[in-house]
Amino acid sequence: METVHSVCALDCPDCCSMLVQVEDGRATRLRGDPDHPVTQGFLCGKVAQYLEREYSPDRLLYPQKRVGAKGEGRFERISWDEALDTIAQRLAATAQEHGPEAILPYSYGGTLGMLNGAGMDRRFFHRLGASRLDRTICATAGGAGLTATNGFRYATEPEQFRLSKLIIAWGANIHGANIHLWPFIVEARRNGAKLVVIDPIRTRTAALADQHFAINPGSDLALALGLMHVIIGEKLYDADYVDRYTNGFDALRKRALDYPPERVAALTGIAAADIVQLARDYATTRPAAIRVNYGVQRSEQGGAAVRAIAALPALVGSWREAGGGLQLSTSQAFQFNRAGLEMPELQHRSPLGREARIVNMSLLGKALTEMDKPPVKAMVVYNSNPATVAPDQNVVLRGLRREDLFTVVLEQFQTDTADYADILLPATTFLEHTDVYFAYGHHYLPLARPALPAPGEARSNVETFRALALRMGFDDACFRDTEDDMIRTLLNSDHPFLDGITLERLDREHFVRLNVAPGNQPFLPFAQGGFGTASGKCEFGAETLDYTPPVESRHGDNALRGKYPLELISSKNDDSMNSTFGYRASVDEDTSILHLHPADAGPRSIRTGDRVRVFNDRGSLLLKANVDGVVQAGVVRAPSTRWLKRSSDGRNANALTSDRLTDIGGGPTFYNCLVQVERCGD
Ligand SMILES: Nc1nc2c(c(=O)[nH]1)N[C@H]1C(S)=C(S)[C@@H](COP(=O)(O)OP(=O)(O)OC[C@H]3O[C@@H](n4cnc5c(=O)[nH]c(N)nc54)[C@H](O)[C@@H]3O)O[C@H]1N2
Ligand SMILES: Nc1nc2c(c(=O)[nH]1)N[C@H]1C(S)=C(S)[C@@H](COP(=O)(O)OP(=O)(O)OC[C@H]3O[C@@H](n4cnc5c(=O)[nH]c(N)nc54)[C@H](O)[C@@H]3O)O[C@H]1N2
Ligand code: SF4
Ligand SMILES: [Mo]
């Protein structure tokens, strides 16, 4: 028996280090690494059962080609040689006939591994001259908002939350989506801290909090401005910090004057007295930390909302203190040599000879059905399941059904997207390949070597793109790089955060804290200013902070609200990971539910257990009603995201979501979605 160190590759802030117990080449147990300061020896429920997935009879083991109609999911086994030849020929012919930009890579968060997520694949598509994908589906609106305010997207570390006296979970379902922050919050609360949750949904986190404010979806910008109104009006801000390290305070003060508590109460649904109290608590409790997650920014003014929330710690000076500040994502501290890994300069050696066009992944439906000059004629999907997760699903599916679209999918399982593949290639799991990872909820950089052999003929993304490059005749030396070569390149960064972190050291220590602060001292990124903006100061940017209710919301477009009066939030299910575990019966059960408030269910004669149809102009969907205390009146919730093929109507919540983009960052607005609900006949 041996114990092998590994890393959970799922799209989760916690980036857990794990120990794999291997007996006779077979894993018998997974557990969290007890030596990792954030993993602290435990895994979440969904990954504790990962060996079920690893050894599932449904794993894809061999290359296959389509034999049925598109989307039918009927395939026949072929050899790797035939698969690679077919793909190489089709891509070359497409490039020849329509130009290489007619080829679209499509990938997202299946793995947070750098090599398998943004390594050999990027080199391959750059050398080909393929369209470049703008990977907006999750976090770019918030990222743009935070960048505008702070320049650097640096964050308070999870370990410092234990020192906080007030923690605001703002659009952050910590218990469901970020469980390894929870022990630090428990510790803080043991020492008297208060936890406040701002979320339209009564999540597990909200239910466990000291206070829960059920905010109207998409109204966070108004709330942030309301808090500023009180903090500035009552002179509770840190005048010294504001003076030294920020820009635009006067304009911010004027803007906040327009958002008195009564007005903000009407916009947000939070009582005026609560807004005043929260503002006072936040400004006077030291230290106070904000955990804002991505829920806030999946709405029409999501970028501006994050901008405004990010201004709060500068306003009250909480960046000065360990246990203060704010966390959206820690990922930018991983200052890798990404350009060395991805090699964008290869585009100039492609037949295109210039930088390729950029296609926004959140507009996949339009890209496949409307894009021209050239149209998308071939798509290579890996680390993602767009048929299930992309907005405005009916248009996406129409695109995927196109007979003239050549689709390649690299997958571990036969997902909804895999059903549309012309060639389906088997991919390894994180237990089977080498990679280094970035975390978006802490500062430990881990390396994982294969703990287990790849089953059947499964290959890592790195191996597949390397083989494809060779098959296409690309003779650039970079396509012969080994995984270790690529890791060395990635770590070869000038940035001090990566000083002294080498492959050898990672092999020895398995994970290493970035040099964000000396020794074990807390990382205080903006204690003395040092913002990454052009001015070096925190930019309040009041001119960008004026609230307009989302078109698809209770205060939005009148005509639309008349037809579709309910706000649908299809946020993450606690016990799954986007669509990755969609084949599990328990996950299917959780994601086939629509939570309704009694005030909305009653007039529609809907009771718990009834089948309901949820619909708008974009599509419709069948779910099972749960009339409970999870949502406020006017809001319905569909935990997401369900596999289409598990449902009777072949649809999930994304049949209803729109492809309207956020104010900045080009992100999707999944959580601003107006619908109507009706009971289905028995
Ligand atoms: N269990 C589990 N964990 C996950 C995932 C998963 O699918 N399941 N997915 C992973 C991924 S890809 C990501 S990006 C992260 C996301 O992690 P989170 O951002 O924490 O997750 P979300 O569910 O998108 O949104 C968080 C909360 O925001 C709330 N919310 C929705 N609209 C609004 C709003 O307008 N204002 C406010 N204040 N709150 C709002 C939702 O109700 C939700 O409870 O989690 C990761 N971890
Ligand atoms: N309605 C609604 N839609 C949403 C969201 C929502 O909250 N509500 N959330 C959005 C967000 S935040 C995100 S991040 C996206 C997530 O969307 P995706 O990033 O597409 O995530 P998954 O659906 O989990 O699909 C990842 C796939 O990658 C595969 N995979 C894992 N590892 C590997 C590997 O090493 N190689 C290969 N080839 N494949 C691998 C897995 O088997 C899985 O099928 O969904 C978005 N869509
Ligand atoms: S999904 Fe997140 S919490 Fe669960 S094991 Fe993976 S990194 Fe840890
Ligand atoms: Mo995400």
Side-chain angles (χ1 to χ4, degrees), residues 106-110 361 381-386 389 409-411 415 417:
Y106 195 96
S107 72
Y108 201 68
M361 74 187 302
V381 181
Y382 54 102
N383 300 343
S384 187
N385 183 13
V389 305
V409 177
L410 286 61
E411 251 301 349
T415 59
T417 307

Side-chain angles (χ1 to χ4, degrees), residues 217-241:
S219 67
D220 302 270
L221 173 56
L223 178 60
L225 289 164
L227 297 177
M228 291 174 187
H229 179 98
V230 178
I231 292 170
I232 298 173
E234 299 189 1
K235 297 204 166 29
L236 299 175
Y237 59 95
D238 182 337
D240 179 61
Y241 192 95

Side-chain angles (χ1 to χ4, degrees), residues 60-203:
L60 296 175
L61 300 177
Y62 307 101
Q64 300 179 82
K65 70 174 177 197
R66 176 166 68 88
V67 292
K70 290 244 182 188
E72 202 185 312
R74 284 203 295 126
F75 294 94
E76 186 178 282
R77 181 175 170 183
I78 55 174
S79 67
W80 266 104
D81 267 335
E82 184 183 341
L84 293 171
D85 280 339
T86 308
I87 298 167
Q89 276 161 19
R90 285 295 296 263
L91 295 186
T94 302
Q96 186 105 50
E97 194 177 336
H98 303 276
E101 287 171 308
I103 300 164
L104 180 69
Y106 195 96
S107 72
Y108 201 68
T111 169
L112 297 190
M114 293 301 300
L115 309 188
N116 287 286
M120 203 53 95
D121 53 315
R122 304 297 161 94
R123 293 180 181 181
F124 175 74
F125 291 111
H126 286 146
R127 178 65 181 79
L128 199 55
S131 286
R132 287 178 292 165
L133 188 71
D134 195 4
R135 292 176 169 81
T136 56
I137 203 153
C138 174
T140 47
L146 196 59
T147 305
T149 303
N150 290 349
F152 296 126
R153 295 189 303 280
Y154 294 154
T156 303
E157 313 166 274
E159 298 96 309
Q160 313 314 334
F161 277 75
R162 61 157 69 97
L163 303 173
S164 307
K165 292 293 179 206
L166 173 67
I167 296 162
I168 301 181
W170 199 323
N173 179 14
I174 296 166
H175 216 269
N178 181 200
I179 186 68
H180 290 83
L181 181 58
W182 191 252
F184 299 110
I185 294 179
V186 169
E187 192 179 333
R189 292 175 90 186
R190 228 184 281 128
N191 293 320
K194 218 167 93 172
L195 173 67
V196 176
V197 171
I198 301 169
D199 195 312
I201 310 292
R202 191 165 175 82
T203 60

